[in-house]
Amino acid sequence: MKKVTLNVLTVSLMLGMATLVACGGSSEEVKETAKDAVEEATEMVEEVKEEVVEATISGEEVFTSKGCVACHQLETKTVGPSLKEIAAAYDGNKDGLTAFLKEEGEAIVDPAQAAVMQPQLAVTKALPAAELEALSEYILSNK
């Protein structure tokens, strides 16, 4: 969808520039239009890049590779609460879960066990935003 939008935008801007030149637009107007077109196209390309990166990150892979699976199982409470318990506690509160994983929020599932999670929070806090987002979405998908 973004690729089609980008192509349409590019063609539209090229036609606009051609119209300015053909209708006697000054070279300054043409330069300004071209500059605006390049800036807008660059912004769109960056947005598409971010979406592609986000789409390729699997929350389950982050969960496994960062060691979360050592303490959290899908349905069974082990060292920490199960994914189902976490998802139920944070249902409709993705921002709260993300804040907890960034050490910016309080534990609401099992506050007595929060100290056990403390070393792992250093890992989740350092995750890139896209990986943290994917991790939160994965956890919440396990209701």
Side-chain angles (χ1 to χ4, degrees), residues 99-116:
F100 173 69
L101 294 173
K102 291 166 62 175
E103 286 189 292
E104 297 172 357
E106 298 296 317
I108 63 172
V109 180
D110 189 356
Q113 289 289 97
V116 175

Side-chain angles (χ1 to χ4, degrees), residues 17-115:
M17 289 174 27
T19 303
L20 273 175
V21 171
C23 294
S26 72
S27 63
E28 198 59 41
E29 289 174 327
V30 172
K31 286 180 185 176
E32 191 62 34
T33 301
K35 180 182 173 189
D36 291 345
V38 168
E39 287 176 2
E40 193 167 338
T42 301
E43 288 174 12
M44 291 182 76
V45 167
E46 290 303 316
E47 288 175 16
V48 170
K49 281 183 187 177
E50 288 175 15
E51 288 177 10
V52 168
V53 167
E54 289 175 11
T56 60
I57 296 173
S58 161
E60 186 173 10
E61 288 176 13
V62 174
F63 183 82
T64 303
S65 69
K66 300 302 178 186
C68 307
V69 72
C71 298
H72 302 283
Q73 302 299 310
L74 180 61
E75 296 184 9
T76 308
K77 178 178 172 128
T78 55
V79 175
S82 70
L83 287 178
K84 288 195 179 283
E85 288 176 281
I86 298 169
Y90 284 98
D91 188 29
N93 187 12
K94 181 178 171 187
D95 290 341
L97 175 59
T98 302
F100 173 69
L101 294 173
K102 291 166 62 175
E103 286 189 292
E104 297 172 357
E106 298 296 317
I108 63 172
V109 180
D110 189 356
Q113 289 289 97

